[in-house]
Amino acid sequence: MARRWPVFVGLGLSLAALGTGLLIEPDRIEGWHFAARWTARVGLPVFLAVYLASSLVRLFPAGWSRALLRDRRWWGLGFAASHTVHLVALVTYLQISGTPRTIGSLIPGGIAYLLLFTMALTSSDAAMRSLGRNWKRLHTLGIHYIWFIFFISSVGRVLDPAKRTPGLIEVALTLAALAVRVAAWRRKRAAT
């Protein structure tokens, strides 16, 4: 039986980041800005657990990697919960700060959230049966698109001197995750 605790890990990390931002920053706008940044950052490791689960089993077949793959659905729902908190923090920050956003800057993230919520809503055996091959297509497209948004966002932080160090760490993590996926894909291809 799958354990649902990863949902609470994802949600708990984001709520802790949200609360920390609002408690340590005396300025309301900066508090929400901190919360928006850190809810995104704590979501990345949860996302990477989902993104890497099947690849890690292929490359490192062991009890821990099989457990991660077994609970991948719950890690995915934990990431959806985590990033929903991030969305609330981000929207709140943008509203109270008056920071202008162009439609062009909102579309990529909007597509990521549309895919995220669609994947969360179809994370059941019944949805898998109902959608057939389209379920795999949706989840493959969604996970790679969300990876791309994390990567591009991280690259943007590298270009900002004030955010360079966290950006470099995030770029390294996302590229390492992609390298693991490519290595697993190559191993699978070589085995067939």
Side-chain angles (χ1 to χ4, degrees):
M1 179 177 183
R3 291 172 279 203
R4 294 174 174 88
W5 62 268
V7 175
F8 300 107
V9 169
L11 184 60
L13 287 171
S14 279
L15 289 174
L18 177 75
T20 301
L22 298 178
L23 288 173
I24 68 168
E25 287 289 344
D27 181 74
R28 183 171 169 242
I29 293 173
E30 281 307 306
W32 282 104
H33 192 209
F34 179 97
R37 281 193 320 268
W38 280 94
T39 52
R41 287 180 183 153
V42 301
L44 179 59
V46 179
F47 170 75
L48 291 177
V50 180
Y51 188 71
L52 293 172
S54 60
S55 298
L56 291 172
V57 166
R58 184 163 286 117
L59 295 172
F60 310 103
W64 64 270
S65 59
R66 287 185 190 95
L68 180 61
L69 181 62
R70 180 195 64 222
D71 295 336
R72 178 173 54 185
R73 176 182 296 168
W74 300 107
W75 282 107
L77 292 171
F79 174 69
S82 169
H83 246 53
T84 299
V85 174
H86 169 64
L87 181 61
V88 169
L90 181 61
V91 168
T92 303
Y93 165 70
L94 292 173
Q95 285 182 335
I96 66 173
S97 69
T99 303
R101 297 297 277 221
T102 64
I103 293 295
S105 70
L106 296 174
I107 289 174
I111 292 169
Y113 273 103
L114 177 65
L115 288 166
L116 175 65
F117 293 140
T118 302
M119 289 189 302
L121 290 171
T122 59
S123 287
S124 68
D125 293 338
M128 286 177 74
R129 285 189 300 273
S130 176
L131 292 171
R133 286 185 169 171
N134 290 325
W135 184 92
K136 182 155 180 66
R137 289 179 183 131
L138 166 68
H139 285 253
T140 300
L141 170 67
I143 200 142
H144 288 294
Y145 187 82
I146 292 168
W147 174 90
F148 178 74
I149 293 297
F150 267 117
F151 175 72
I152 289 298
S153 299
S154 300
V155 168
R157 282 187 279 286
V158 169
L159 300 175
D160 180 346
K163 301 174 186 173
R164 185 161 291 142
T165 300
L168 286 170
I169 293 167
E170 292 162 11
V171 165
L173 288 171
T174 54
L175 287 177
L178 180 62
V180 168
R181 288 206 47 139
V182 169
W185 174 78
R186 290 180 74 181
R187 180 172 286 183
K188 178 182 178 183
R189 194 168 170 208
T192 57

